[in-house]
Amino acid sequence: MSRYLVVWEGPVQRASGLGIASRAYVQALRRQGVDVRVGRGRRTGASGDPSRKKVLIYHHPPSQINFKLARARYDCIILNTVWETTRIPAHWLPNINKFDAICVPSRHNKQALRNSGVRVPIFIVPHGVNAREYGPGTRKLPLTQSKGRFTFVSVFGFQHRKNPEALLRAYWEEFSASDAVLLVIKTNGYAPYENEQWIKERIRRYKIRLGIHKPTAPVVVIGRHLKPGSIYGLYRLGQVFVLPTRGEGVGLPFLESLASGTPVMATAWGGHMDFLTRRNSFLVPYRLSSPLQSMNSGHSISRQFRHLFAGKGQQWAEVDIGSLKRQMRYAFQHPRLCRVKGNQGRQDMLRWTWNRAGFLMKDAIEKTLQRKK
């Protein structure tokens, strides 16, 4: 057992990507022999052997921590965080340089923090993916509409940063009803009323607003909860996973898709560029711009989170829709190339394990403790 105690405060109970990562990091540290206890804010004690150093790993927004309380309890305080645009929100800054160190999952994150004036040590601790759960041997999700069709799959929360409007517009404009192609979108809203029917209605109205009245290739929207087994099968259903995201700290669905043997088509900017390559993916060019440009354009159909992404100096990527359309068509016309890229992605992901993440996080903890001596 480690000579120090780690208390992890984070969204370990949530079903989101943050929740998945939080649980996986805790388990990975434990496999490295680290004594980790999951915290619940003020109710969590750090009692025990007084000779052991006590480390808090804080996996919440840095603006929320009570530093006075934390410093009274812990010898070392490390922030584990992720970010998507070129700069972090301004309201993070008063607290973020008070941490002893910061762990982020990608080079993109580290650069965003440095751009924002973060001065404390930053360690890159990548996410992992369970290649046994997400694998080419998984049974495909049974979906009648996909029979005989080349299927694009996309998995994302229904928010503006994910750029659902570019995905839909490119698909509708490029493929007609005569093309044997299908787009399957697994998504979710962020409020009780943002259910599957609400999302479908937003998509229907957007199509009308674009002036598209002719029959187009079909779109299947799944806005309800799916069990893990169905999610595994969803990735296997697709010949290509496509998401023209405006920014990702990591892009967990990209990892999951590649581990499943399904190649990715994505914007060539963000945390996912640590593991997406031209050998395992279709990379779409982009330009950087202020989030306010797209938020105010009239094309936005999903939740914007302006309080996070519309701050001064922030930028994210706007995909080249013409290139996206051409690459979707090219993938459709070259299914063998998709299989080759998917096989390469599967091999690449065998190295992106949560055990590696646990090893690197343990190293970050111990280096931070040593520096504090």
Side-chain angles (χ1 to χ4, degrees), residues 18 46 58 117 234 269 292:
L18 279 175
Y58 193 76
L234 178 62
W269 184 84
L292 285 172

Side-chain angles (χ1 to χ4, degrees), residues 124-140:
I124 296 177
V125 181
H127 281 18
V129 63
N130 189 327
R132 293 187 302 276
E133 294 176 341
Y134 296 93
T138 304
R139 179 174 176 266
K140 294 182 180 182

Side-chain angles (χ1 to χ4, degrees), residues 13 15 108 162 282 304 325 347 358:
Q13 301 301 324
H108 170 83
K162 301 293 184 175
F282 299 89
Q304 293 184 345
K325 290 162 61 174
Q347 292 304 309

Side-chain angles (χ1 to χ4, degrees), residues 37 77 94 103 111 116 138 146 153 159 164 183 205 316 357 360:
R37 302 178 190 178
I77 305 174
C103 292
Q111 187 60 55
S116 305
T138 304
S146 68
V153 167
Q159 62 164 297
L183 172 61
R205 290 182 182 180
W316 60 18
L360 291 171

